[in-house]
Amino acid sequence: MSVDITISYILRFLLVFVFVRAVLHKLGSYSHFNAQLSSYRLLPDPLLPAFSCFLILVEVFLAFSLLVTDWLYPSFIAAAVLALYAGAMSINLIQDRDDLDCGCGGPSEFGQRVSWALVFRNGVLAFFALATAWPITSRSLSVVDITTVVLASIAVICIYAGIEQAIANQYRQTQYFALKTKDHRGAVE
């Protein structure tokens, strides 16, 4: 089974976007990232600083190396990292610890809670990462192909961002209605 080179590039650009965004969030608030990592309770506290640095370095590596189509290791590493994140969320969801901020969007007033939707999202992204390791059609890219890759990558990234926002809004809407209900109960009429 082979994948058209344009599809491979579109998937690679999506994954690069995901990892660049993740690195920027982690570096933007490193202490918040460490707190989120600690809240998962999957590693002993003394290992957290080293592991968080390791994750950031791996994501930086992936953000650049996924663009090299002849090198398959980044595809497998990206799939493993995404599966690791999905596994960490799954373990906590199975333990009824769904109150954790997944860490997907960096610090915010209304964080994004771990959910089965995020586990599924990471599974799909891991599949996409594996798909970039499949053999690609050997042909040169034409101007039309390059235009297709650029425009389709932008569209796929926008669709991904929209899905991310919809998942985040589920929790935010719940928080909003809880606050609104609390305000109405305490209001003097």
Side-chain angles (χ1 to χ4, degrees):
M1 176 182 203
S2 65
V3 175
D4 188 73
I5 192 167
T6 57
I7 301 297
S8 180
Y9 273 117
I10 292 165
L11 293 176
R12 287 174 184 277
F13 284 128
L14 171 63
L15 293 167
V16 165
F17 170 79
V18 168
F19 286 113
V20 165
R21 186 170 163 245
V23 167
L24 292 175
H25 286 306
K26 288 174 177 76
L27 292 177
S29 183
Y30 184 72
S31 60
H32 181 74
F33 168 58
N34 275 325
Q36 288 171 321
L37 198 57
S38 175
S39 69
Y40 276 78
R41 296 186 201 155
L42 297 174
L43 290 172
D45 285 341
L47 294 179
L48 287 174
F51 190 70
S52 62
C53 287
F54 173 73
L55 281 178
I56 291 170
L57 290 174
V58 168
E59 288 180 346
V60 167
F61 165 77
L62 291 171
F64 291 104
S65 63
L66 278 166
L67 295 175
V68 181
T69 57
D70 295 335
W71 201 21
L72 300 181
Y73 293 116
S75 300
F76 295 120
I77 295 168
V81 167
L82 291 161
L84 174 76
Y85 293 159
M89 285 188 265
S90 296
I91 289 169
N92 280 282
L93 286 168
I94 289 168
Q95 295 174 348
D96 288 329
R97 299 189 66 237
D98 62 351
D99 59 335
L100 299 176
D101 183 353
C102 75
C104 306
S108 72
E109 182 179 339
F110 294 107
Q112 189 171 359
R113 289 173 115 176
V114 295
S115 67
W116 290 110
L118 293 176
V119 172
F120 179 75
R121 176 211 60 191
N122 280 8
V124 170
L125 289 173
F127 174 77
F128 287 167
L130 289 176
T132 63
W134 292 340
I136 56 175
T137 55
S138 59
R139 64 182 178 87
S140 59
L141 289 173
S142 68
V143 173
V144 172
D145 290 333
I146 293 169
T147 305
T148 300
V149 167
V150 170
L151 294 177
S153 295
I154 292 168
V156 167
I157 288 169
C158 288
I159 290 167
Y160 172 81
I163 291 169
E164 279 284 293
Q165 190 62 51
I167 293 170
N169 285 349
Q170 283 180 316
Y171 174 63
R172 292 175 182 149
Q173 184 178 17
T174 304
Q175 282 185 316
Y176 171 76
F177 286 125
L179 289 173
K180 191 172 181 177
T181 303
K182 186 178 179 181
D183 286 346
H184 285 305
R185 289 182 188 165
V188 177
E189 294 183 25

